[in-house]
Amino acid sequence: MSISLSPAILQLLKNSDDLMPAIAQDSLSGEVLMLAYVNTESLAHTIDSGYATYFSRSRNQLWKKGETSGHLQKVVSISIDCDGDAILFQVEQEGAACHTGEFTCFHREIHPAQDLNS
Amino acid sequence: MSISLSPAILQLLKNSDDLMPAIAQDSLSGEVLMLAYVNTESLAHTIDSGYATYFSRSRNQLWKKGETSGHLQKVVSISIDCDGDAILFQVEQEGAACHTGEFTCFHREIHPAQDLNS
């Protein structure tokens, strides 16, 4: 089955040919889990399946998050930003979002006082 | 004053020449406010000033968020993702993050049932 986005969504996007950054946020805790990229095809698959599907830039193909690891992201809601070039998924994360085993990919905090050269 | 990132931070980044997407999240409510881009210079200015400073792709220059509107983002913490190519700012948002006056730029929600062509 070929699936595509409706005109109603397409008109919200700045450029439907571009890859767009997509943020996954845990719908329960509010934690930002990861940032990956989507194209219109992966967005259509996300909507159709109900699970976050990105476009892997390294593998150059659709990437259903957790398809091999089981760490699926059930999508609760999808929002597009004001200028139509970034996406926010609210998700229920199965297991951990990060391949390291951490719940979120954003687990490395910078401590500014130590880390700036003036 | 010329400022730059320390080696400690630089080594966390996948490619310090790249623009990287940076997510701003409200540190109190957990709301994701916006996504913009940073380079190492804007990241250094963010750390130095304590206020989110992005790199404007349209104007091709540093962009201290809220410098003209007053809608500054005081940075509470900065995290780098596992593969070093995305940034998360936890911020205290002054006023609204979105130029439309909405608190968050992600105020347009897709309703999948209506919006998919199969």
Side-chain angles (χ1 to χ4, degrees), chain A residues 11-85:
Chain A
Q11 74 177 5
L12 298 177
L13 303 178
K14 188 175 189 174
N15 186 341
S16 60
D17 294 330
D18 285 351
L19 282 183
M20 293 172 285
I23 303 157
Q25 180 177 32
D26 187 78
S27 63
L28 297 174
S29 68
E31 258 185 292
V32 173
L33 300 173
M34 57 181 276
L35 183 143
Y37 291 83
V38 293
N39 59 9
T40 52
E41 190 186 2
S42 66
L43 206 48
H45 277 269
T46 298
I47 293 170
D48 186 56
S49 68
Y51 288 89
T53 304
Y54 302 96
F55 184 85
S56 168
R57 296 179 301 171
S58 57
R59 286 178 284 137
N60 202 40
Q61 63 183 37
L62 291 188
W63 161 40
K64 183 176 180 180
K65 168 72 180 170
E67 194 161 40
T68 53
S69 68
H71 295 170
L72 295 162
Q73 295 177 332
K74 185 174 182 182
V75 173
V76 176
S77 73
I78 302 174
S79 303
I80 299 179
D81 77 341
C82 55
D83 51 4
D85 59 6

